[in-house]
Amino acid sequence: LLDCDVEEPNCHLFFDTRVQRSEAVCIPVPVLDATKCNGCGLCSQICQFNAVAFMGELPVLFQELCHGCGGCIWVCPTGALSEAGSEIGAVEVAAAGRCTLVQGRLHVGKPLSPPLIRAVKRRAEKDRLTIVDGPPGTACSAVAALTGCDYALLVAEPTRFGLHDLGLAVDTVRQLGIPFGVVVNRASGRSDLVRSYCGQQGIAVLAEIPESVALAQVYARGGIPADEIPELRPLFEALWSRVLAREAA
């Protein structure tokens, strides 16, 4: 189980976890040796993120904007720029019952989550079925979590806002070429919103999780509803079977 929602990982809340190891994750950022700089400006010109700017004769480095691509170092003709590691977070590996839980924790104030997400995914065990818990939305972090997955399960709530976000997510996974299905969360009389959209788009609705106070109470205390609410277990077992069947197809 890979928790790739690195800005607020929460999968560990549902297991009695024991962290086995933690590893720092760094990205390369430029460091300036002013004695070697000739003020040519090539480093500023190649940077697409405004992490290098010229003020006078020397560049000013904004490391919090750096994406670690190394372009500025590559174009520098005098070797005035070199790489140094900047720690953005950590990857933790823990035992969680029968699962291995790998989660990323992005340091507060660090804006770059994709490198940490990729570090989490590199620690997946190749010979085991892997579930990726991704961040919400369709930004870079969500794309980083989705990339390389065999199947995507999109969870939507039956509201106008939920339908809008589902449409964006559908566009994203289609562009990535990932097969997918939809689960309606907090299903109620309003679920026709999502069902109608999915019908028009030819998207399979694989399950509808009912709106339930009992379910919310179990979730709020860190329990697993499929374990604590017996009548819900068949729903999740059927969902799991449908996902495996569609992924295999």
Side-chain angles (χ1 to χ4, degrees), residues 1-89:
L1 174 59
L2 308 182
D3 192 343
C4 289
D5 191 1
V6 298
E7 294 183 47
E8 46 183 353
N10 66 351
C11 287
H12 66 284
L13 300 176
F14 300 91
F15 300 94
D16 181 16
T17 57
R18 299 181 304 280
V19 176
Q20 298 169 329
R21 64 182 185 276
S22 177
E23 305 169 16
V25 175
C26 300
I27 62 170
V29 296
V31 176
L32 174 68
D33 182 349
T35 63
K36 296 181 179 180
C37 180
N38 65 3
C40 68
L42 292 175
C43 54
S44 178
Q45 293 171 26
I46 198 173
C47 183
Q48 301 299 300
F49 304 101
N50 300 313
V52 185
F54 261 83
M55 296 183 182
E57 297 182 354
L58 292 176
V60 177
L61 307 180
F62 299 95
Q63 293 187 345
E64 66 276 9
L65 299 179
C66 179
H67 282 54
C69 71
C72 58
I73 296 169
W74 181 70
V75 299
C76 180
T78 63
L81 294 174
S82 59
E83 280 186 354
S86 174
E87 187 174 324
I88 61 169

